[in-house]
Amino acid sequence: MIEEGSKRGKAMVEKRQLFMEMRAQNFDVIRLSTYRTACKLRFVQKRCNLHLVDVWNMIEAFRDNGLNTLDHNAEINVSRLETILSSIYYQLNKRLPTTHQINVEQSIGLLLNFMVATYDSESHGKLTVFSMKAMLATMCGGKIVDKLRYIFSQISDSNGVMAFAKFDQFLREVLKLPTAVFEGPSFGYTEHSVRTCFPQQKIMLNTFLDVLMADPPPQCLVWLPLMHRLANVENVFHPVECSYCRSESMMGFRYRCQQCHGYQLCQSCFWRGHANGPHSNQHQMKEHSSWKSPAKKLSHAISKSLGCVPIGEPPHPVFPEQAERPQELTHTVQPKPVANSMNDTIVMSSGAPTPTKSVLESPSRLDEEHRLIARYAARLAAEAGNSTQQCPPTDLSFNFDANKQQRQLIAELENKNREILQEIQRLRLEHEQASQPTPEKAQQNPTLLTELRLLRHRKDELERRMSALQESRRELMVQLEGLMRLLKDEEQKQASQSGGSPHSSPSHGAGCSMPMPIRSTSAGSTPTHTPQDCLAGVGGDVLEAFAQGVPRNLRNDLLVAADSITNTMSSLVKELHSVDDGAEEEETNLRNGGDRGTVRV
């Protein structure tokens, strides 16, 4: 009984933890409900690490857990929901680098408690499949157009027409998110929400995207695109001074007054309703999500006035009007991108099962892509014709047959498309062959990685040791130079005391010439201390030579000490090179798939 009570108490603490942290952010000071709701949901998204899970990876997780075979109204218990969330986060950690791993257990606990508090307010211990799909597809990361396409595939019929009853069900579920963050009075569900969004009778995919991605979007969902814009501008820098707080730089959104010249506010001041001088909160403000220099603005305005730049761009690409299949089935899994230079690509998990027959290989899909290419080429030709009519022609020699250019462009695009499809198929086969797990690779790869890390660590230690020995060698050479000077003075003194006898000064021979020591700034003046004081930090043969009480010829001993230092440096360099060769051989083995089991150092 005590253990059950402690578990319940821990569950209550975890249930309240996310909401307590959200309240600590003080989002309620934001005066506009749209920004307030978007900031709260963005906080929940980042706190639960949902922003790291792409919508395509979420669809893949739905399929792997068998949710595509269940009816939307089917119920799943909390334990199965926890299993689904565990698979999502553990797959996420496999895709993330080792330096950016997340706390899986904490993320599962926070998200599970938030979903239960949002969709199981009566504590039945069950959630519907559609509720879970709507919530996770809305709160995960990725492009908003991809999310809306998936949602449309769930609420449309086999003819590609939206079912109003299913869209009404989607609004009921998705509008529980603002209610969960205490914004229900502003964005709660009403019976007239569907008709305010779509007064038309027949809604296809492009119409659905046009309405929900319009500016402004429907009032009940105005927070959804704003949440995505918040994610895009979190790290945007504006080199402009805020007119209220006088901050010399802005991060995030920037707001410029349309009435007061040069009056600009950072997002913190605008959200809190701050104003000073002649500016008022009733003035119309324009939101900027990027910074353009005045020169760039001027060139864009000139091009726009001449008609050489299109005034407006479509908010999303135009998709075919045919009915789309549900995007949680096998054919929706996105392949690995062909080139890293392509923007906005979707990466598939390396452990995902590959479909037996991809849509990219089907003839209907190829015909559909050819039609899209032809439509896009015709659109480009039409825009080019309009631009040539609006802009003054610079040279009459650039006139050409438009139809011939269209045919050539279509042929080039079709050839390029075939090449891309062949490359995708080849890369997919290579990926399948490389991703097949074998016992040898499973045993060798951890060992190879461990030995490679040890080699690199050994290399770093040798480099540090080599640097220390070089510094010691430099200090020893400086001390040797001082000792040579003291020795020379001592010999001159003995020669003067002996009365200039020709045998008093030692002879070094022709083959024992002393090499010139390395000059250093620290040995520029003659030392005044005794030879025994110079022995501090000097060891080996030099110390042994000076330890004797009678004076002796120390030139050979000094040469032996210098040779000993040089030999030590040479052996260290050889050892360092052998470690470099071993590391390079280890990296080559890793690139070749771990065929060699051991690395010899």
Side-chain angles (χ1 to χ4, degrees):
M1 297 294 293
I2 297 176
E3 293 180 358
E4 293 180 358
S6 62
K7 290 182 179 179
R8 292 178 182 176
K10 183 178 180 181
M12 291 297 294
V13 171
E14 292 178 350
K15 186 175 182 180
R16 296 175 182 175
Q17 179 182 356
L18 184 63
F19 295 100
M20 294 174 63
E21 292 179 1
M22 184 178 65
R23 283 175 177 162
Q25 299 295 320
N26 201 19
F27 290 123
D28 291 329
V29 301
I30 302 176
R31 63 188 182 96
L32 300 176
S33 60
T34 304
Y35 289 94
R36 192 167 58 244
T37 305
C39 289
K40 290 181 178 180
L41 292 178
R42 175 62 178 169
F43 172 79
V44 173
Q45 182 190 46
K46 295 181 67 176
R47 188 64 182 85
C48 297
N49 290 313
L50 278 176
H51 66 296
L52 301 175
V53 184
D54 193 83
V55 61
W56 298 106
N57 298 125
M58 191 68 72
I59 297 171
E60 180 185 343
F62 292 162
R63 188 199 63 238
D64 292 342
N65 288 275
L67 297 182
N68 58 317
T69 60
L70 299 178
D71 186 75
H72 282 175
N73 296 323
E75 294 183 340
I76 58 176
N77 54 26
V78 177
S79 60
R80 184 174 180 185
L81 176 61
E82 185 176 2
T83 302
I84 296 172
L85 297 182
S86 300
S87 66
I88 292 173
Y89 283 115
Y90 279 113
Q91 289 296 328
L92 172 63
N93 255 357
K94 290 181 180 179
R95 294 188 296 269
L96 293 176
T98 56
T99 56
H100 293 76
Q101 297 287 299
I102 64 171
N103 190 337
V104 175
E105 298 298 332
Q106 184 182 24
S107 301
I108 294 173
L110 291 175
L111 182 56
L112 181 64
N113 291 321
F114 179 76
M115 294 182 68
V116 171
T118 303
Y119 294 100
D120 188 27
S121 58
E122 299 180 359
S123 301
H124 293 303
K126 295 181 179 180
L127 278 76
T128 63
V129 173
F130 189 73
S131 299
M132 189 190 64
K133 286 183 178 180
M135 185 273 177
L136 293 178
T138 304
M139 294 294 293
C140 68
K143 295 182 180 180
I144 186 174
V145 63
D146 295 329
K147 295 183 180 181
L148 295 177
R149 285 182 63 195
Y150 171 71
I151 292 169
F152 185 82
S153 69
Q154 300 297 303
I155 62 176
S156 58
D157 56 18
S158 58
N159 297 322
V161 181
M162 187 189 75
F164 280 88
K166 292 183 179 180
F167 180 69
D168 181 74
Q169 183 183 4
F170 166 72
L171 285 183
R172 289 176 184 270
E173 302 299 337
V174 78
L175 291 180
K176 289 180 182 178
L177 292 173
T179 304
V181 293
F182 315 106
E183 297 296 334
S186 301
F187 300 104
Y189 171 80
T190 61
E191 297 179 355
H192 305 287
S193 299
V194 177
R195 289 300 173 186
T196 56
C197 295
F198 298 103
Q200 306 94 327
Q201 294 296 327
K202 185 177 180 181
I203 305 299
M204 306 295 286
L205 173 61
N206 291 316
T207 307
F208 180 79
L209 297 177
D210 289 339
V211 172
L212 295 188
M213 297 182 66
D215 189 15
Q219 181 60 30
C220 61
L221 295 174
V222 68
W223 51 270
L224 181 58
L226 179 59
M227 185 176 68
H228 288 78
R229 295 205 308 272
L230 279 173
N232 294 331
V233 302
E234 284 182 347
N235 298 319
V236 174
F237 174 76
H238 305 269
V240 182
E241 182 183 16
C242 178
S243 300
Y244 183 84
C245 65
R246 300 302 177 185
S247 176
E248 296 182 356
S249 60
M250 301 182 189
M251 294 294 293
F253 286 119
R254 174 172 55 92
Y255 297 90
R256 182 167 54 88
C257 182
Q258 301 298 295
Q259 299 183 23
C260 304
H261 178 70
Y263 192 90
Q264 301 188 79
L265 293 176
C266 62
Q267 66 177 19
S268 178
C269 294
F270 176 76
W271 289 354
R272 287 160 175 76
H274 294 160
N276 58 348
H279 178 71
S280 172
N281 288 330
Q282 304 302 322
H283 292 180
Q284 184 179 3
M285 304 288 287
K286 185 176 181 180
E287 182 181 276
H288 295 272
S289 58
S290 62
W291 165 256
K292 293 182 181 179
S293 62
K296 190 173 182 180
K297 289 181 181 179
L298 179 61
S299 62
H300 183 77
I302 294 174
S303 302
K304 187 175 180 180
S305 62
L306 294 176
C308 298
V309 177
I311 298 177
E313 296 182 357
H316 63 85
V318 179
F319 296 98
E321 296 295 341
Q322 290 84 1
E324 286 197 347
R325 300 178 184 179
Q327 296 196 11
E328 61 184 357
L329 300 181
T330 305
H331 73 275
T332 60
V333 178
Q334 299 295 316
K336 189 173 280 189
V338 178
N340 294 331
S341 60
M342 298 175 64
N343 294 327
D344 302 328
T345 55
I346 302 172
V347 181
M348 183 183 67
S349 174
S350 59
T354 306
T356 57
K357 185 176 181 181
S358 175
V359 177
L360 294 175
E361 303 170 3
S362 60
S364 60
R365 183 69 175 177
L366 291 175
D367 295 339
E368 179 183 325
E369 290 182 353
H370 292 168
R371 288 195 298 270
L372 288 176
I373 292 172
R375 184 190 302 176
Y376 183 66
R379 182 178 175 185
L380 288 177
E383 291 180 356
N386 294 333
S387 63
T388 53
Q389 292 177 4
Q390 294 175 1
C391 296
T394 57
D395 190 0
L396 296 178
S397 63
F398 287 101
N399 294 331
F400 55 87
D401 187 5
N403 293 330
K404 183 177 179 181
Q405 184 191 20
Q406 291 178 17
R407 289 193 298 270
Q408 293 177 353
L409 181 59
I410 291 173
E412 292 176 0
L413 292 176
E414 288 179 350
N415 293 332
K416 188 65 176 178
N417 186 41
R418 294 191 190 95
E419 294 176 1
I420 292 175
L421 292 177
Q422 294 175 358
E423 184 68 14
I424 289 175
Q425 182 64 19
R426 185 185 64 81
L427 292 175
R428 181 176 299 162
L429 294 176
E430 292 180 359
H431 176 71
E432 290 178 358
Q433 296 174 357
S435 61
Q436 291 179 355
T438 60
E440 296 180 358
K441 290 184 179 180
Q443 295 176 1
Q444 291 176 2
N445 286 340
T447 305
L448 293 176
L449 292 176
T450 303
E451 292 182 356
L452 180 59
R453 284 193 293 266
L454 292 176
L455 284 173
R456 290 177 177 173
H457 182 68
R458 176 63 175 168
K459 177 182 176 182
D460 295 337
E461 290 182 353
L462 291 176
E463 288 179 349
R464 290 193 296 268
R465 182 181 171 189
M466 182 175 178
S467 301
L469 288 177
Q470 287 178 345
E471 183 65 22
S472 300
R473 181 187 181 190
R474 186 187 65 80
E475 294 177 356
L476 286 174
M477 295 305 294
V478 172
Q479 293 180 1
L480 288 175
E481 183 180 4
L483 290 174
M484 290 298 298
R485 290 185 179 181
L486 289 175
L487 190 62
K488 184 177 180 181
D489 295 341
E490 185 68 20
E491 290 177 353
Q492 292 178 356
K493 183 184 298 184
Q494 291 180 0
S496 60
Q497 291 178 358
S498 61
S501 175
H503 299 284
S504 62
S505 91
S507 175
H508 304 294
C512 298
S513 61
M514 175 63 67
M516 182 64 65
I518 299 176
R519 297 295 177 182
S520 174
T521 55
S522 60
S525 58
T526 304
T528 57
H529 46 73
T530 63
Q532 294 294 332
D533 295 334
C534 298
L535 297 180
V538 181
D541 298 326
V542 178
L543 182 60
E544 181 181 358
F546 275 95
Q548 312 227 346
V550 295
R552 48 179 289 190
N553 191 352
L554 298 180
R555 298 181 185 272
N556 293 332
D557 294 332
L558 293 177
L559 284 174
V560 170
D563 291 340
S564 176
I565 295 173
T566 304
N567 292 334
T568 304
M569 293 293 295
S570 301
S571 62
L572 182 60
V573 170
K574 291 180 181 179
E575 186 175 0
L576 182 61
H577 285 317
S578 65
V579 172
D580 289 336
D581 295 339
E584 292 178 357
E585 182 180 358
E586 181 66 19
E587 292 178 356
T588 305
N589 291 336
L590 288 179
R591 295 194 198 99
N592 294 333
D595 294 334
R596 298 180 181 177
T598 59
V599 178
R600 297 182 179 178
V601 180

